Amino acid sequence: PFDEERNGLNLGEGAGFLMLEAESIVIKEKKTVLCELSGYGNACDAFHQTASSPEGDGAYLSMKKALDTAHLEPSMIDYINTHGTGTKNNDLSEGKAIERLFGNTPPPCSSTKAYTGHTLGAAGAIEAVFCTLAIQQGIIYPNLRFQNQMNELSFSPVASLQTNRPLKHIMSNSFGFGGNNTSLIFSAI
């Protein structure tokens, strides 16, 4: 993903889930909290049945809504787990949306789909688990096999594993067919 020579995605199989519980239950039952879902946003640009809009309109709106519900500024995001499918359209569209919202120096970002393949309906859940682990372990995953900067973008994804990173807020993007875009923000407790 996000490589100038990218040429499509690999499908994968898998599942993941996180238990979301109300704060009142967590306090009452003295449960251990791994992180907090602090922001969420959904937008549907309905540009095409399978392609994202070239300007990344839906992606931009979902990320902006997630920041707004979390009451965060773009500069407060420490890492973006991108949707990053490795397709010509998706990576360009998401990259343009990231630049639009975060400027030319966005936070570190990478796609984890090179590890799992694109698991379609399970992708968002699996990547939510990756984000939770990143917060707990202070790691930013590398964008596997990245070599060549995309000509159209001003940033590149993280290319090597980063450790000992204090991560307070992580944004996770899941963008689907028909322009259905969701962004979540996971925050350290």
Side-chain angles (χ1 to χ4, degrees), residues 75-151:
S75 62
M76 298 170 80
I77 298 297
D78 299 310
Y79 167 60
I80 303 172
N81 183 288
T82 64
H83 185 63
T85 62
T87 62
K88 295 288 184 187
N89 170 263
N90 175 261
D91 291 358
L92 179 59
S93 178
E94 183 174 15
K96 290 290 185 188
I98 288 170
E99 286 181 336
R100 190 167 152 194
L101 186 59
F102 292 94
N104 289 338
T105 54
C109 61
S110 64
S111 172
T112 52
K113 284 184 177 60
Y115 296 93
T116 62
H118 194 327
T119 57
L120 301 176
I126 290 170
E127 291 165 10
V129 171
F130 279 146
C131 291
T132 302
L133 291 171
I135 286 172
Q136 290 180 315
Q137 298 173 8
I139 60 174
I140 294 178
Y141 306 100
N143 199 95
L144 291 181
R145 293 182 282 289
F146 174 80
Q147 294 179 348
N148 302 304
Q149 167 75 34
M150 283 178 61
N151 293 327

Side-chain angles (χ1 to χ4, degrees), residues 54-83:
E55 300 79 23
D57 292 336
Y60 169 83
L61 288 172
S62 70
M63 290 187 292
K64 177 80 170 87
K65 286 179 182 181
L67 287 169
D68 290 346
T69 61
H71 306 291
L72 297 174
E73 295 298 320
S75 62
M76 298 170 80
I77 298 297
D78 299 310
Y79 167 60
I80 303 172
N81 183 288
T82 64
H83 185 63

Side-chain angles (χ1 to χ4, degrees), residues 2-41:
F2 293 99
D3 190 278
E4 180 63 24
E5 304 301 319
R6 67 199 184 282
N7 196 25
L9 58 86
N10 290 319
L11 291 178
E13 292 186 23
F17 78 94
L18 294 174
M19 178 74 68
L20 300 178
E21 295 189 271
E23 185 177 20
S24 60
I25 293 172
V26 170
I27 292 168
K28 179 181 175 186
E29 297 182 10
K30 298 180 177 135
K31 295 188 174 193
T32 301
V33 177
L34 304 178
C35 68
E36 176 184 11
L37 176 62
S38 60
Y40 53 90

